[in-house]
């Protein structure tokens, strides 16, 4: 049974630090091996020059992976980031970002995902990330 967006939003609101919640992330879609989050544009997250902060994008990729793993496992389980590698391809200015995390392998103790971050207005790829998680529970 696939997790609903409401269940995923509940994990988001209950399991993440207050500063992550301040990003305003919202669950757009959840599947058996993927999730899509929306990071709304905010001047507070922009760096000099008007581009969205890389730190905000990396936190969004990390968060999307946790939701994707939770969906695949049927609910939240304790986990921790082991590795995240992010490549930025273009700045996002004045637009929301869609973050899609797709699990490439889910084992008993480790999870791997590829994450794409796209400018919601233009559809242009802004960044890619690969993530690795240790599953603790």
């Amino acid at each position: 049974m696939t997790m609903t967006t409401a269940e995923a939003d509940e994990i988001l609101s209950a399991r993440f630090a207050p500063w992550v919640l301040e990003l305003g992330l919202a669950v757009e879609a959840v599947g058996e091996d993927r999730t899509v989050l929306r990071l709304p544009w905010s001047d507070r997250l922009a760096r000099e020059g008007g581009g969205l902060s890389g730190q905000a994008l990396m936190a969004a990729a990390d968060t999307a992976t946790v939701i994707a793993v939770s969906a695949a496992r049927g609910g939240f389980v304790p986990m921790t980031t082991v590795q995240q590698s992010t490549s930025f391809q273009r700045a996002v200015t004045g637009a929301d970002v869609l973050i899609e995390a797709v699990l490439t392998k889910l084992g008993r103790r480790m999870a791997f995902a590829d994450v794409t971050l796209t400018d919601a207005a233009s559809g242009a790829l802004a960044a890619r990330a690969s993530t690795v998680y240790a599953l603790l529970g």
Side-chain angles (χ1 to χ4, degrees), residues 52-97:
L52 195 60
S53 164
Q55 293 95 331
L57 293 171
M58 291 176 72
D62 187 71
T63 304
T65 303
V66 172
I67 299 299
V69 171
S70 296
R73 296 284 302 253
F76 179 81
V77 296
M79 64 188 89
T80 190
T81 310
V82 173
Q83 183 271 337
Q84 179 174 333
S85 176
T86 306
S87 299
F88 299 98
Q89 299 189 8
R90 71 179 36 86
V92 176
T93 56
D96 292 358
V97 176

Side-chain angles (χ1 to χ4, degrees), residues 5-95:
T5 56
E7 291 168 325
D9 271 328
E10 176 60 29
I11 291 169
L12 184 60
S13 65
R15 299 290 182 166
F16 288 88
W19 70 267
V20 174
L21 299 179
E22 288 180 22
L23 294 173
L25 293 165
V27 179
E28 295 275 310
V30 181
E32 290 181 14
D33 66 346
R34 69 191 62 227
T35 192
V36 178
L37 302 183
R38 178 178 294 268
L39 174 62
W41 171 260
S42 169
D43 288 333
R44 289 183 41 183
L45 300 177
R47 65 185 191 336
E48 187 175 329
L52 195 60
S53 164
Q55 293 95 331
L57 293 171
M58 291 176 72
D62 187 71
T63 304
T65 303
V66 172
I67 299 299
V69 171
S70 296
R73 296 284 302 253
F76 179 81
V77 296
M79 64 188 89
T80 190
T81 310
V82 173
Q83 183 271 337
Q84 179 174 333
S85 176
T86 306
S87 299
F88 299 98
Q89 299 189 8
R90 71 179 36 86
V92 176
T93 56

Side-chain angles (χ1 to χ4, degrees), residues 57 92 95-100 116-127:
L57 293 171
V92 176
D96 292 358
V97 176
L98 295 175
I99 304 99
E100 181 176 27
T116 56
L117 299 95
T118 57
D119 181 313
S122 70
L125 182 65

